């Protein structure tokens, strides 16, 4: 057993015929980007907060931006007690096609074998991994807003936190976790930028708006329970920058995630705020391409209006005009299957180009914790479970 929650066997917890497809449902994700160079002999103890619960925990390791194969010779999963310390008896070694060691090819990702045992919803899962030969560009997620830990040498099997003396605010080489959930259970993947990534929300408390959305879904009688946060700070729809563009990372970050039923698109402000010459038509064309590719993969697509950002240094009348034109097109329909109007939720009643002061994280573009909650509360949960038959 995984000792996350003891059970006689996976079959005893959730009969095979009553589970979702064999690949499971994504319960946590974070988009990979190019990090600094990897360090040979380094171990990472990565803390992630899950959404949907289930059996058969699997993790996806990423070498998407590596320029050479990456060997991981020890990978464990356990439950956080506090800091880098694990709950006694919870740490279990992961295998890959039955082997304890895996080599992830340059540019590739690899899923582990499933672990027996049940992982409850909303759990701080801890994935510990060690690479003897890491080098060249590492793949990971820079802005985790979650305290994780590193050390030199292989301490992955240890449940004690004593050796893990190097704090890190990033996730390395890990970009998804899945579980086997009851049949019919699905997930939503949120394609976004720094607002979705959680900037200006309180670190270590899981107050990003997709976290609030996950808690709503757990409390509601809906088939969609999993939430994959695929936000990258600074990310754009149309062009690469911080992270590959939404168009270029859609397949890896969203469409290949297990159990994803709906794609939620909330991006565009980075395309227009820097006065790059991007027009409303350009952005709408990008949205349409995302929707078409998602539909071809059998997914529903929910789109959100772009929030206000007057007061941010790159705001200007020209950018505001594009934002208003884009939002009008989104509200008019025909671009997405459903719409969430984040602009209406966030804007000031006294100046619609500006964020409401009560929801403003202080920089006039990123909401605070209260704003993140308001965004999640505005999502019509029924829109996340539309009919994918086309």
């Amino acid at each position: 057993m995984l000792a996350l929650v003891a059970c006689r066997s996976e079959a005893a917890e959730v009969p095979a015929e009553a589970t979702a497809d064999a690949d499971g449902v994504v319960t946590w994700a974070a988009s990979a980007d190019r990090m600094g160079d990897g360090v040979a002999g380094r171990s990472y103890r990565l803390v992630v907060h899950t959404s949907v619960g289930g059996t058969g925990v699997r993790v996806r390791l990423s070498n998407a931006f590596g320029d050479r194969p990456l060997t991981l010779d020890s990978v464990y999963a356990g439950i956080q007690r506090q800091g880098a310390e694990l709950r006694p008896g919870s740490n279990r070694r992961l295998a890959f096609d039955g082997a304890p060691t895996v080599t992830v090819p340059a540019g590739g990702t690899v899923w582990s074998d499933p672990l027996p045992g049940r992982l409850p919803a909303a759990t701080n899962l801890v994935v510990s991994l060690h690479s003897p030969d890491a080098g060249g560009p590492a793949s990971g997620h820079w802005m985790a807003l979650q305290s994780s830990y590193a050390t030199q040498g292989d301490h992955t099997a240890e449940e004690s936190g004593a050796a893990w003396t190097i704090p890190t605010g990033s996730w390395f080489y890990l970009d998804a976790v899945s579980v086997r959930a009851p049949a019919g259970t699905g997930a939503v993947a949120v394609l976004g930028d720094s607002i979705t990534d959680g900037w200006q929300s309180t670190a270590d408390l899981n107050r990003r708006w997709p976290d609030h959305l996950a808690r709503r879904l757990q409390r509601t009688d809906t088939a969609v329970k999993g939430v994959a946060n695929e936000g990258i700070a600074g990310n754009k729809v149309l062009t690469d920058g911080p992270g590959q563009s939404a168009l270029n990372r859609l397949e890896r970050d969203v469409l290949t995630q297990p159990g994803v039923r709906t794609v939620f698109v909330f991006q565009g402000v980075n395309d227009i705020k820097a006065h790059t010459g991007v027009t409303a038509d350009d952005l709408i064309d990008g949205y349409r391409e995302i929707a078409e590719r998602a539909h071809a993969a059998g997914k529903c697509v929910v789109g959100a209006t772009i929030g206000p950002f007057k007061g941010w240094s790159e705001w200007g009348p020209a950018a505001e005009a594009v934002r208003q034109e884009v939002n009008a097109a989104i509200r008019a329909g025909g671009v997405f299957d459903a719409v969430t109007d984040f602009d209406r939720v966030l804007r000031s009643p006294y100046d619609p180009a500006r964020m409401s002061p009560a929801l403003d994280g202080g920089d006039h573009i990123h909401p605070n914790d209260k704003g993140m909650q308001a965004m999640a509360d505005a999502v019509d949960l029924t829109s996340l479970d539309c009919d994918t038959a086309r």
Side-chain angles (χ1 to χ4, degrees):
M1 67 176 181
L2 182 56
L4 303 181
V5 168
C7 61
R8 293 188 301 276
S9 68
E10 262 186 60
E13 281 295 307
V14 183
E17 66 273 13
T19 60
D21 63 73
D23 291 332
V25 177
V26 62
T27 185
W28 173 89
S31 302
D33 194 5
R34 179 172 176 155
M35 308 281 278
D37 284 350
V39 180
R42 177 67 54 90
S43 292
Y44 293 99
R45 177 152 283 182
L46 308 171
V47 181
V48 304
H49 191 67
T50 65
S51 53
V52 62
T55 61
V57 173
R58 302 167 72 219
V59 307
R60 191 170 80 169
L61 304 177
S62 177
N63 193 24
F65 295 88
D67 62 4
R68 66 199 72 182
L70 171 72
T71 297
L72 295 157
D73 59 2
S74 186
V75 184
Y76 279 74
I79 300 297
Q80 185 183 38
R81 182 176 184 181
Q82 59 180 1
E85 182 184 359
L86 304 184
R87 188 177 299 169
S90 70
N91 207 25
R92 291 292 180 268
R93 187 163 193 160
L94 286 153
F96 301 83
D97 288 332
T101 297
V102 64
T103 297
V104 189
T109 60
V110 172
W111 281 99
S112 74
D113 301 337
L115 283 171
R118 170 171 288 278
L119 178 70
T123 295
N124 276 0
L125 180 72
V126 180
V127 178
S128 304
L129 51 86
H130 173 262
S131 173
D133 64 354
S139 300
H141 191 85
W142 171 71
M143 194 179 75
L145 292 175
Q146 174 67 58
S147 296
S148 289
Y149 308 89
T151 188
Q152 203 62 18
D154 185 2
H155 296 272
T156 55
E158 299 171 10
E159 293 182 330
S160 166
W164 301 88
T165 57
I166 305 171
T168 178
S170 301
W171 291 305
F172 291 83
Y173 304 119
L174 174 70
D175 77 345
V177 178
S178 75
V179 295
R180 291 175 179 164
T185 303
V188 54
V190 184
L191 197 57
D193 49 39
S194 57
I195 299 176
T196 295
D197 213 5
W199 185 243
Q200 297 292 2
S201 67
T202 304
D204 289 324
L205 293 183
N206 303 302
R207 292 181 177 175
R208 311 164 192 86
W209 77 263
D211 297 323
H212 290 297
L213 177 62
R215 286 187 281 272
R216 283 191 66 202
L217 290 169
Q218 294 307 312
R219 297 191 302 264
T220 305
D221 184 16
T222 174
V224 174
K225 296 292 186 185
V227 177
N229 186 334
E230 303 291 1
I232 298 180
N235 199 233
K236 298 177 182 178
V237 174
L238 303 175
T239 57
D240 294 346
Q244 294 176 315
S245 70
L247 290 170
N248 287 336
R249 65 189 181 93
L250 178 66
E251 183 73 20
R252 181 185 67 247
D253 287 353
V254 174
L255 300 184
T256 60
Q257 293 290 4
V260 168
R261 185 168 301 172
T262 301
V263 182
F264 194 111
V265 182
F266 176 44
Q267 283 193 254
V269 70
N270 289 321
D271 293 77
I272 65 177
K273 69 179 177 58
H275 312 292
T276 58
V278 169
T279 67
D281 286 343
D282 293 335
L283 205 46
I284 293 298
D285 285 346
Y287 291 152
R288 290 188 189 280
E289 181 179 337
I290 290 171
E292 288 169 1
R293 289 167 59 190
H295 288 160
K299 320 296 184 187
C300 298
V301 187
V302 178
T305 51
I306 301 172
F309 66 103
K310 186 177 180 181
W312 177 263
S313 60
E314 295 168 302
W315 183 89
E320 179 64 18
V322 174
R323 186 181 78 91
Q324 294 291 351
E325 188 176 348
V326 169
N327 285 351
I330 291 173
R331 292 185 183 107
V335 180
F336 301 113
D337 301 315
V339 173
T340 297
D341 200 341
F342 282 158
D343 173 48
R344 181 186 61 79
V345 171
L346 295 172
R347 69 193 181 201
S348 168
Y350 308 105
D351 184 352
R354 190 180 292 272
M355 191 180 300
S356 169
L359 306 179
D360 193 339
D363 61 11
H364 313 302
I365 192 170
H366 299 97
N368 57 21
D369 289 351
K370 185 176 179 180
M372 296 282 182
Q373 179 74 69
M375 292 171 65
D377 289 346
V379 177
D380 178 1
L381 299 186
T382 63
S383 71
L384 305 180
D385 194 19
C386 64
D387 184 3
T388 58
R390 296 182 182 281

